[in-house]
Amino acid sequence: MIVIYGCERKNSMNTIFRLALVFAVFLTGGFVCARGITNLSPTVEAQIYEGEIRSVSAGMWVEAEWRIEWPEEVFGASSDVLAAIQCQMIDDCFGNVSEFYPTPDKALQKIFSTAYSKLDVPPDEDGSVSPLLRHLDFQANVSIKFADAGSMGYVLEGCHNEGGNGCHSYVKARVFSLSTGCLLQESDFMTASGLKAFPKVFFDRVSRKPDVKPCSNANENDAEAALGNFMIEPEGIRWWLRPYSVFPGYAGVQDMLLTWQELKPLLKPGKEKVFKGIFTKSTL
């Protein structure tokens, strides 16, 4: 079987398939597929890169899947700004490789190469191969959440594990300025006193989650791990915490939405109105 992956441009009628690797000779049950999508938004022209590799057998576990909404044109963004957003997306999904792999179809070569390398693990002296050395669990699902009112945001839900213990899942949420291409930070929309108060406000709120308890030694300083990992939503701003920051690893990635009412004392004047304006026109 020939393993392929593909992508489709918004408004295109034909899926574009590219030859990737002839895997099935080696990976029993391995496959990759691709499907097209409809329009994301009037403000975004995008391609979808979607596929998977799976091979689960005695002594080997390879599972990789991806669905990346790749922006090719964004209304109000210059080519330089778009390039900055694309580079960040590649680095978020595949590690800091955008200098060498500037597009998903190039960067996915790294995943195919990693999967292929699991076949070449040399055996121990007794002829056995540790299953941990033939393990790959990879996920990259990127959703563009909005592109309007001078900003664009996407969320990556990811995982990368090559045999280690514990939780290897993560979420990376990014909001960009469409005028500069720079990432939006809390200091851009919170007052100095609001930024100082945020860790305690967030910790108090997230530690009351009914379904999971914080680590016994967790405190408000640990909540600083959420800074820079947020998404603007119609009801407020959502932050994500990486595993092992406030909650134990088995709890995985945790998130919490702070409503506009809760955020009001922390925000600079006028910012709430600007952010709400993102969703008064077109959303994704």
Side-chain angles (χ1 to χ4, degrees):
M1 180 182 69
I2 296 177
V3 178
I4 54 175
Y5 63 90
C7 60
E8 183 172 350
R9 184 188 302 269
K10 186 189 82 172
N11 294 330
S12 174
M13 295 299 292
N14 297 316
T15 302
I16 303 170
F17 289 102
R18 300 173 185 268
L19 178 63
L21 283 174
V22 180
F23 260 109
V25 175
F26 308 102
L27 300 182
T28 304
F31 66 92
V32 181
C33 62
R35 294 186 297 273
I37 60 161
T38 55
N39 293 356
L40 290 177
S41 163
T43 61
V44 179
E45 180 174 325
Q47 287 191 8
I48 296 296
Y49 290 82
E50 183 175 38
E52 60 184 8
I53 306 170
R54 297 192 187 277
S55 181
V56 180
S57 60
M60 186 170 186
W61 180 284
V62 174
E63 288 195 349
E65 63 178 11
W66 57 91
R67 185 183 187 281
I68 301 170
E69 296 180 355
W70 178 253
E72 293 212 323
E73 289 187 25
V74 179
F75 181 77
S78 67
S79 58
D80 288 343
V81 166
L82 181 60
I85 294 172
Q86 291 172 334
C87 284
Q88 185 67 60
M89 190 177 287
I90 290 291
D91 289 341
D92 284 343
C93 291
F94 303 101
N96 297 320
V97 298
S98 60
E99 181 180 356
F100 309 101
Y101 305 105
T103 59
D105 57 340
K106 300 294 185 182
L108 281 165
Q109 296 175 19
K110 181 181 178 184
I111 302 305
F112 282 108
S113 177
T114 301
Y116 187 83
S117 71
K118 301 304 176 182
L119 300 166
D120 297 327
V121 177
D124 295 333
E125 292 182 359
D126 62 0
S128 64
V129 176
S130 169
L132 293 180
L133 299 179
R134 304 186 75 184
H135 182 107
L136 173 63
D137 186 6
F138 173 83
Q139 176 183 346
N141 294 319
V142 179
S143 299
I144 299 174
K145 297 300 183 181
F146 62 81
D148 213 336
S151 300
M152 174 180 157
Y154 69 76
V155 173
L156 161 65
E157 297 177 86
C159 178
H160 193 154
N161 181 18
E162 296 191 44
N165 294 322
C167 179
H168 296 266
S169 298
Y170 57 87
V171 170
K172 295 182 180 181
R174 308 297 192 190
V175 179
F176 298 86
S177 164
L178 291 180
S179 60
T180 66
C182 294
L183 284 168
L184 196 68
Q185 303 293 333
E186 285 85 353
S187 58
D188 295 318
F189 56 85
M190 288 186 182
T191 63
S193 60
L195 189 58
K196 184 177 180 180
F198 171 79
K200 184 178 188 310
V201 171
F202 186 75
F203 180 79
D204 289 347
R205 183 76 169 80
V206 77
S207 61
R208 296 198 302 269
K209 295 188 77 166
D211 55 337
V212 63
K213 298 299 181 184
C215 297
S216 58
N217 60 345
N219 59 55
E220 62 187 63
N221 293 327
D222 298 314
E224 293 180 1
L227 290 171
N229 200 19
F230 63 88
M231 183 53 52
I232 303 165
E233 299 182 2
E235 297 81 15
I237 300 178
R238 186 178 303 276
W239 277 266
W240 281 265
L241 278 167
R242 65 176 182 268
Y244 306 104
S245 52
V246 171
F247 298 95
Y250 66 78
V253 178
Q254 293 290 318
D255 66 279
M256 179 58 63
L257 175 75
L258 296 185
T259 66
W260 295 120
Q261 186 63 32
E262 292 172 306
L263 287 167
K264 201 173 189 65
L266 311 182
L267 298 179
K268 293 178 180 179
K271 289 299 182 181
E272 178 182 349
K273 182 179 180 181
V274 170
F275 290 160
K276 285 183 176 179
I278 292 173
F279 303 98
T280 58
K281 297 178 182 178
S282 57
T283 57
L284 302 182

